[in-house]
Amino acid sequence: MFERTVFSSRLKALIKSRGKTYTELGAILHVTSTQISDMANGKTGTSMERLFVLCQYFDISADYLLGLTDEPRKLKKR
């Protein structure tokens, strides 16, 4: 079962570890910083399109963000 808390805590950690702000990430996803804050605090989820962009932006697998694996694997380059 999907645990929004896993997604939110991993998103928050990625934002912090990369030194990004909610405003910067919001601009990338075309949403407000409040919407990013809501995702990072487990109040809301995200769309598949935004999940795709998050994975590309942070170079991280969706499996990790979704809690399907605990290994933060980088994306495979094609």
Side-chain angles (χ1 to χ4, degrees):
M1 184 162 101
F2 177 69
E3 288 289 333
R4 188 174 288 161
T5 56
V6 172
F7 172 79
S8 64
S9 66
R10 290 181 179 183
L11 176 61
K12 188 184 286 188
L14 282 168
I15 293 167
K16 185 177 180 178
S17 71
R18 306 289 167 88
K20 300 300 176 186
T21 66
Y22 291 169
T23 301
E24 290 172 317
L25 191 54
I28 303 267
L29 296 176
H30 305 289
V31 298
T32 66
S33 60
T34 301
Q35 288 172 290
I36 299 297
S37 175
D38 287 349
M39 284 191 289
N41 290 305
K43 293 180 182 177
T44 62
T46 192
S47 67
M48 289 190 49
E49 291 82 5
R50 289 186 185 128
L51 177 61
F52 180 84
V53 173
L54 286 169
C55 292
Q56 287 187 315
Y57 183 71
F58 289 116
D59 191 25
I60 200 92
S61 74
D63 289 351
Y64 176 72
L65 279 175
L66 295 173
L68 297 171
T69 184
D70 290 330
E71 290 183 47
R73 295 184 197 130
K74 290 187 175 271
L75 296 176
K76 291 182 179 178
K77 303 297 179 198
R78 292 184 182 198

